[in-house]
Amino acid sequence: MLEVENLHVSYGSIKALHGVSLKVPQGSIVTLIGANGAGKSTTLRALSGLVKSNSGTIRYDGDEITRLAPHKIVSRRLCHVPEGRMVFANLTVHENLVMGAYLQKDKAWIAKQTEYVFHLFPRLKERENQAAGTMSGGEQQMLAIGRALLGNPKFLMLDEPSLGIAPLLVKAIFERIVEINKEQGLTILLVEQNANLALDISSYGYVLETGSVLLEGPSADLKANPKVQEAYLGG
């Protein structure tokens, strides 16, 4: 569903990505793992058009989207949940979800999908009229994912969903990610520093190091790799 070939991205004179190539099959969960500064978030930002690539190609759902503006990419149902959640702090939970649905015209679908989000994350239903900025990090992460689901995505990119969240909520959020993948048939590209969790729920993984793909393979193989264990799994 997504194919990236030889992607190069720079921030001024700093080269962030050096020829990253990856594939995400339809209906799968694929993960990018790596240390801070490896280029994981930059990869997602390039895929959603938030940063422009210097060279390389991005093909999504049969079309090249390398030079498309972010709003054009979202309209093709590729949604990005950014690192740090980026909820609208002064808006309520309900208003944040409405913002996620701004491209959707079918009110019945919006209502049904909102109920699905509340089914996934009952805490959001409990806090429907609460300002998003007053919620915990885990609750805001649930809201950020819920808001993206109101965009009717076919492809969902999640950037560090476990960052700064209590372990109990991390487990719940990852269970919901698997549920979304299975129930809604969503293809998911997951960037995550918690490599153990990421490799547990994904079918395939890429290890990024200083802007390049160092290793790739089925998630179970990466988890068993001594180099990956030593560098990323606390082994």
Side-chain angles (χ1 to χ4, degrees), residues 24 54 105 122 145 157 218 223:
V24 183
N54 301 84
K105 302 291 187 270
I145 294 171
M157 300 194 298
K223 200 166 181 183

Side-chain angles (χ1 to χ4, degrees), residues 1-213:
M1 191 168 195
L2 180 81
E3 187 171 5
V4 180
E5 289 182 2
N6 202 26
L7 197 64
H8 290 256
V9 173
S10 297
Y11 296 110
S13 61
I14 299 168
K15 291 184 177 179
L17 298 183
H18 309 269
V20 167
S21 296
L22 57 90
K23 292 180 181 179
V24 183
Q26 186 165 357
S28 66
I29 301 177
V30 170
T31 189
L32 304 181
I33 62 172
N36 273 337
K40 306 185 301 296
S41 293
T42 297
T43 300
L44 295 198
R45 289 171 65 81
L47 297 180
S48 60
L50 294 172
V51 297
K52 294 300 175 192
S53 57
N54 301 84
S55 60
T57 56
I58 303 166
R59 291 188 186 87
Y60 165 70
D61 206 18
D63 297 314
E64 186 174 342
I65 62 166
T66 316
R67 302 291 167 212
L68 283 187
H71 69 281
K72 296 279 190 185
I73 292 172
V74 170
S75 72
R76 291 173 179 241
R77 300 171 66 190
L78 190 159
C79 293
H80 182 179
V81 179
E83 182 182 356
R85 302 176 280 278
M86 304 293 181
V87 296
F88 299 104
N90 295 327
L91 300 184
T92 66
V93 166
H94 178 77
E95 289 166 340
N96 268 271
L97 295 176
V98 169
M99 291 294 285
Y102 78 98
L103 284 178
Q104 308 308 314
K105 302 291 187 270
D106 185 340
K107 289 184 178 180
W109 180 88
I110 293 170
K112 184 179 177 184
Q113 188 75 340
T114 301
E115 284 308 309
Y116 176 73
V117 169
F118 287 151
H119 160 73
L120 274 179
F121 301 118
R123 284 177 186 236
L124 297 184
K125 178 64 176 173
E126 293 166 11
R127 291 157 174 73
E128 186 173 1
N129 298 309
Q130 185 174 329
T134 65
M135 300 198 303
S136 73
E139 290 161 352
Q140 289 185 22
Q141 186 64 59
M142 293 173 183
L143 179 56
I145 294 171
R147 182 180 59 188
L149 292 177
L150 264 295
N152 195 18
K154 291 195 294 187
F155 191 105
L156 188 63
M157 300 194 298
L158 299 169
D159 194 352
E160 301 283 11
S162 77
L163 195 66
I165 295 174
L168 199 63
L169 279 186
V170 169
K171 184 173 182 289
I173 287 169
F174 272 70
E175 286 170 352
R176 297 295 86 78
I177 290 169
V178 172
E179 199 173 320
I180 292 163
N181 169 252
K182 288 178 177 171
E183 289 186 355
Q184 300 226 324
L186 268 183
T187 306
I188 295 173
L189 179 59
L190 170 67
V191 159
E192 182 52 61
Q193 273 195 290
N194 189 329
N196 264 313
L197 265 178
L199 292 172
D200 277 345
I201 71 164
S202 59
S203 56
Y204 201 86
Y206 294 84
V207 179
L208 262 59
E209 191 171 281
T210 58
S212 300
V213 175

